[in-house]
Amino acid sequence: EGPVESKNEAAMSELVPEPRQKPVVPMKPMGINTSLLGYIGIDTIIEQMRKKTMKTGFDFNIMVVGQSGLGKSTLVNTLFKSQVSRKSSGWNREEKIPKTVEIKAIGHVIEEGGVKMKLTVIDTPGFGDQINNENCWEPIEKYINEQYEKFLKEEVNIARKKRIPDTRVHCCLYFISPTGHSLRPLDLEFMKHLSKVVNIIPVIAKADTMTLEEKTEFKQRVRKELEVNGIEFYPQKEFDEDLEDKTENDKIRQESMPFAVVGSDKEYQVNGKRVLGRKTPWGIIEVENLNHCEFALLRDFVIRTHLQDLKEVTHNIHYETYRAKRLNDNGGLPPMTVETEENHESNL
């Protein structure tokens, strides 16, 4: 981690993290026969790592942001095929729209194929629901930075835990209203402020309200507006590690983003098969059918291909940037931990 830290601290003058470079692979010495005479077992390292990580399990913290009624809770439930959002944990319809942005985090342990994941869903009820939405992203930015601060304080403790609890937000799904027109100033302001501190994945909610032509046009318009406003969403160009990554991520950036999705946790029978879908008078919209919506692409992207990368970018880029800034502001000293503050007060 040393080179990454010093590199990021050097880049702090502009507050822009440098692209991560691949370590230089030493050239093979010429003339030495590297073929093994028998089996050693180096290839079991992967299995050893797998066993270790399986024991500890994984953390993943996902935040959902957007106006009420865009289907955020339903989409998260659909994403993990279980009732994981606040709606399903005793939320009632009579609840009034909060006057200010609240932040509610709900933790779950999900297990699949022997792999345990501690999933935390962070909801932001009240975002964008007022007449005056000025600075309504501030509580969200504050929450994200508080999690970095908590991690940093644990890290600089003299007797620190072997495994620091990770509450940092790895991924923020930002829900765009399916107007078919353009992004609202609120959307642009939020993404402008937050794209520097968290991985933002923009999604167009309730995409079944648009025709195919409208959807294609709207996606292109959103991409153009984000580009014009200099908003970087995940996967960010400068963090592509190699050509393979770049090719894969370019395809996502230029074709899939923002994902036009439909969420549903209801099952229906279609041609003898149980499918997740939404029933309309003219047929059933199948959530996992790519001809109907891009939900399957979003799930593959967030969980099956980029989950580990989301965590790494959060740790190596966003958290490093926060950490370097925090230490710079503090004259290179680690921030005071909670215990030392308490001791300090008791000594006075």
Side-chain angles (χ1 to χ4, degrees), residues 177-218:
S177 192
T179 57
H181 183 55
S182 61
L183 289 173
R184 297 167 310 155
L186 174 63
D187 301 331
L188 292 169
E189 280 299 314
F190 177 87
M191 288 193 258
K192 220 176 252 177
H193 281 86
L194 274 285
S195 61
K196 293 179 179 64
V197 294
V198 72
N199 294 320
I200 290 183
I201 298 176
V203 295
I204 297 167
K206 299 198 166 178
D208 51 337
T209 58
M210 296 189 284
T211 65
L212 291 175
E213 293 78 21
E214 285 170 345
K215 188 172 80 177
T216 311
E217 205 175 297
F218 188 44

Side-chain angles (χ1 to χ4, degrees), residues 1-236:
E1 284 187 15
V4 179
E5 287 174 13
S6 54
K7 197 192 299 170
N8 269 331
E9 279 159 15
M12 277 315 295
S13 50
E14 312 106 60
L15 266 178
V16 176
E18 278 185 13
R20 294 174 289 175
Q21 287 173 345
K22 285 295 238 193
V24 180
V25 179
M27 282 177 67
K28 267 190 192 172
M30 299 301 288
I32 295 175
N33 184 9
T34 53
S35 62
L36 304 176
L37 303 172
Y39 177 67
I40 303 175
I42 302 169
D43 57 357
T44 61
I45 293 173
I46 300 291
E47 186 53 29
Q48 292 169 39
M49 287 163 75
R50 196 185 76 85
K51 273 187 183 161
K52 255 194 156 46
T53 46
M54 287 281 273
K55 272 182 200 161
T56 50
F58 300 87
D59 291 315
F60 188 58
N61 309 319
I62 185 167
M63 179 184 255
V64 287
V65 182
Q67 275 176 300
S68 297
L70 287 179
K72 301 188 294 294
S73 303
T74 310
L75 189 88
V76 174
N77 288 345
T78 321
L79 210 52
F80 295 98
K81 290 199 173 173
S82 56
Q83 302 291 308
V84 290
S85 76
R86 73 188 168 106
K87 285 273 176 75
S88 43
S89 56
W91 187 85
N92 59 358
R93 295 240 171 254
E94 284 72 57
E95 226 179 75
K96 288 189 171 66
I97 289 173
K99 286 280 173 283
T100 54
V101 179
E102 293 174 15
I103 291 176
K104 297 183 176 181
I106 298 172
H108 305 267
V109 175
I110 294 182
E111 193 170 339
E112 185 180 45
V115 179
K116 273 201 182 92
M117 183 163 84
K118 188 176 178 296
L119 171 73
T120 307
V121 178
I122 304 126
D123 201 352
T124 54
F127 175 84
D129 291 336
Q130 312 305 320
I131 291 171
N132 179 5
N133 289 306
E134 203 179 350
N135 298 351
C136 68
W137 59 83
E138 280 178 359
I140 297 170
E141 188 170 21
K142 184 168 172 268
Y143 177 85
I144 292 167
N145 284 330
E146 274 168 5
Q147 307 320 305
Y148 291 148
E149 182 69 17
K150 211 185 276 183
F151 196 90
L152 179 58
K153 280 186 171 167
E154 285 287 353
E155 216 179 36
V156 298
N157 268 344
I158 293 169
R160 60 184 182 180
K161 294 171 186 158
K162 189 179 170 195
R163 194 162 177 267
I164 299 171
D166 191 0
T167 58
R168 298 170 298 181
V169 180
H170 300 127
C171 166
C172 170
L173 290 182
Y174 186 77
F175 286 68
I176 297 164
S177 192
T179 57
H181 183 55
S182 61
L183 289 173
R184 297 167 310 155
L186 174 63
D187 301 331
L188 292 169
E189 280 299 314
F190 177 87
M191 288 193 258
K192 220 176 252 177
H193 281 86
L194 274 285
S195 61
K196 293 179 179 64
V197 294
V198 72
N199 294 320
I200 290 183
I201 298 176
V203 295
I204 297 167
K206 299 198 166 178
D208 51 337
T209 58
M210 296 189 284
T211 65
L212 291 175
E213 293 78 21
E214 285 170 345
K215 188 172 80 177
T216 311
E217 205 175 297
F218 188 44
K219 281 179 66 148
Q220 284 170 351
R221 195 173 295 166
V222 169
R223 276 199 295 270
K224 188 91 191 108
E225 283 190 37
L226 292 173
E227 194 185 321
V228 167
N229 286 279
I231 294 165
E232 281 272 324
F233 50 80
Y234 178 83
Q236 299 92 329

